[in-house]
Amino acid sequence: MNRIKIAPSILSADFACLAQEIKRIEAAGADMVHIDIMDGHFVPNLTFGPPVIAALRAHTKLEFDVHLMVTNPEAYIEPFAKAGADWITFHAETAPHMHRLVQQIKELGVKAGVALNPGTSLTALDEVLAELDMVLIMSVNPGFGGQKFIEASVDKIIRLKKRIENCGSKAEIQVDGGVNSQTAVLVKKAGATILVAGSAVYQAPDIAQAIDAIRGA
Ligand code: DX5
Ligand code: ZN
């Protein structure tokens, strides 16, 4: 049984002082930093590129969990691996050569994840599930922080957990979007072990308390 890990998303942090914002979540007990990469094509928003991630690498020991919301993810895997990513997750909707991309990520010594939008079926993963370190279930439509959790994600996580067990995969289930201390209870019960939270962490008056509340400590 994997322990519950909390990955605050710096999408909700103060972009004027990202290094301090990451140190704050590290001190507050976060397990990894979730870094949302948006290209203005796959999602209607823009965020960071590899140089920003490389600059942040020296400022924390936390694992970098890079969530690619970009078209042509194959062009960005190596740059983000070199910038210091520990995990790279790309979207199934962007990748006709999903199997090749997973191999490419693993050959770079990085853990590989595939993300599914709320409207994408779990069947998209059938042929790669056994190879994955993580599956990311989007519980909002990607592009922005602070959106409302889509309740149907809970049943999707339950069904994914069964599929993971059936094929003997070691993949962990990550959930991203609208996670707070209330929705966390539902997704953990369903089988998620890596919880991303942006606004619920960074907008909280006490970050450590917010992380503990999501973890269920
Ligand atoms: C949404 C991003 C999320 C976002 C979550 O496209 O992938 O990681 O930061 O933000 P909250 O937790 O506020 O929904
Ligand atoms: Zn994300």
Side-chain angles (χ1 to χ4, degrees), residues 5 35 40 49 59 73 84 96 104 106 137 170 182 190:
K5 291 179 273 296
I35 305 175
H59 293 271
Q104 196 187 337
K106 291 171 121 184
I137 297 296
K170 292 195 175 64
Q182 281 98 52

Side-chain angles (χ1 to χ4, degrees), residues 9 11 34-38 65-69 91 136 138 142-143 174-177 196:
S9 165
L11 189 63
H34 185 80
I35 305 175
D36 287 307
I37 309 299
M38 304 186 181
D65 168 33
V66 172
H67 176 194
L68 294 179
M69 285 163 275
H91 269 260
L136 167 48
M138 289 304 302
Q174 183 178 55
V175 61
D176 182 9
V196 176

